[in-house]
Amino acid sequence: MIAPSILSADFSRLGDEVRAIDKAGADMIHVDVMDGHFVPNMTIGPLVVKAIRKVSQKPFDVHLMIEPVDLFIPLFAEAGADIITIHPEAGPHLHRSLQLIKSLGKKGGVALNPATPLSFLEPVMGDIDLVLIMSVNPGFGGQTLIPSQLDRIAEVARMIKAANRDIILEVDGGVNAETVKSVIEAGATSLVAGSAVFTGDAADYAGNIDMLRRGG
Ligand code: DX5
Ligand code: ZN
């Protein structure tokens, strides 16, 4: 699956941009939520998710880079998130937060920063619908993929196989024409891409998405 990250969209025309990537074949819309506390950048809140919900029926893959997170999970669920992905580094109660997401009828994901042990996943492999491997340090688009994350992607693929559950293995950060093949070969089943999709104008978005789907 291809989940374009709107972080790299033209925010002066956000609705049009979401419509454009929907039309261009995005499987999901990746929404990067940043609070300027958990990561050194600030983006959008539930109000904007609610606003763009009207524009696309594609699943909203909402990545919460915020701390604390529990207060906002219901607000993003109500705003229209379909998948809510949280960071275990952002708080002490990962299992409880995942229970909250599922109690709201949403799919739950766990995102791991590049230096967070994969063992954080073990206790919740039976509870999650998605694992998000950060292949950059979160906060900004247009960064370079950290090569050491390729082995981690492969290891998570093995963990998912062993768990024998339908869990999306998503990779986020620096996925582009140069890196996409190795990310897919490592086992990713969903690719987040911001700068690689929002390159050129809307007429190019379908070609950028197809390029990623083809593996470069
Ligand atoms: C970074 C975000 C990523 C980012 C990816 O903190 O979580 O989703 O938007 O952007 P690119 O694809 O440009 O690296
Ligand atoms: Zn993201």
Side-chain angles (χ1 to χ4, degrees):
M1 287 189 286
I2 306 298
S5 161
I6 60 170
L7 185 65
S8 302
D10 174 353
F11 268 69
S12 72
R13 299 180 302 104
L14 188 58
D16 293 345
E17 292 275 75
V18 172
R19 211 175 276 117
I21 52 171
D22 180 322
K23 236 173 75 216
D27 296 296
M28 300 196 283
I29 311 290
H30 187 82
V31 181
D32 282 313
V33 178
M34 302 181 188
D35 65 357
H37 172 63
F38 181 67
V39 291
N41 196 357
M42 274 178 121
T43 58
I44 61 171
L47 184 72
V48 178
V49 171
K50 188 159 180 256
I52 59 174
R53 181 71 275 180
K54 299 193 290 291
V55 169
S56 168
Q57 294 317 307
K58 296 281 172 77
F60 277 13
D61 172 31
V62 176
H63 177 192
L64 297 182
M65 290 166 271
I66 64 176
E67 180 181 353
V69 67
D70 284 359
L71 175 69
F72 283 93
I73 286 172
L75 299 179
F76 280 102
E78 208 180 299
D82 296 286
I83 301 175
I84 298 176
T85 297
I86 58 179
H87 278 264
E89 310 93 339
H93 299 292
L94 177 62
H95 185 272
R96 188 176 69 188
S97 300
L98 288 168
Q99 281 184 313
L100 174 57
I101 293 168
K102 295 178 77 103
S103 74
L104 295 162
K106 304 300 177 182
K107 290 185 184 302
V110 172
L112 298 181
N113 287 333
T116 303
L118 298 180
S119 58
F120 273 62
L121 293 172
E122 282 158 19
V124 294
M125 286 304 281
D127 305 292
I128 55 178
D129 304 291
L130 181 145
V131 173
L132 178 58
I133 291 294
M134 292 308 297
S135 36
V136 295
N137 287 298
F140 301 93
Q143 299 180 82
T144 304
L145 180 136
I146 302 166
S148 64
Q149 299 306 302
L150 294 173
D151 290 343
R152 284 164 52 91
I153 295 164
E155 180 52 30
V156 172
R158 279 189 288 278
M159 292 171 73
I160 290 173
K161 198 162 169 353
N164 196 19
R165 289 189 64 246
D166 193 8
I167 299 173
I168 297 167
L169 175 41
E170 190 166 71
V171 176
D172 186 351
V175 177
N176 54 39
E178 288 69 46
T179 60
V180 61
K181 192 164 180 299
S182 43
V183 169
I184 293 172
E185 282 169 358
T189 57
S190 180
L191 307 173
V192 174
S195 45
V197 171
F198 289 99
T199 297
D201 59 29
D204 305 311
Y205 295 172
N208 296 337
I209 289 173
D210 290 346
M211 175 277 292
L212 292 169
R213 213 189 293 283
R214 273 197 319 272

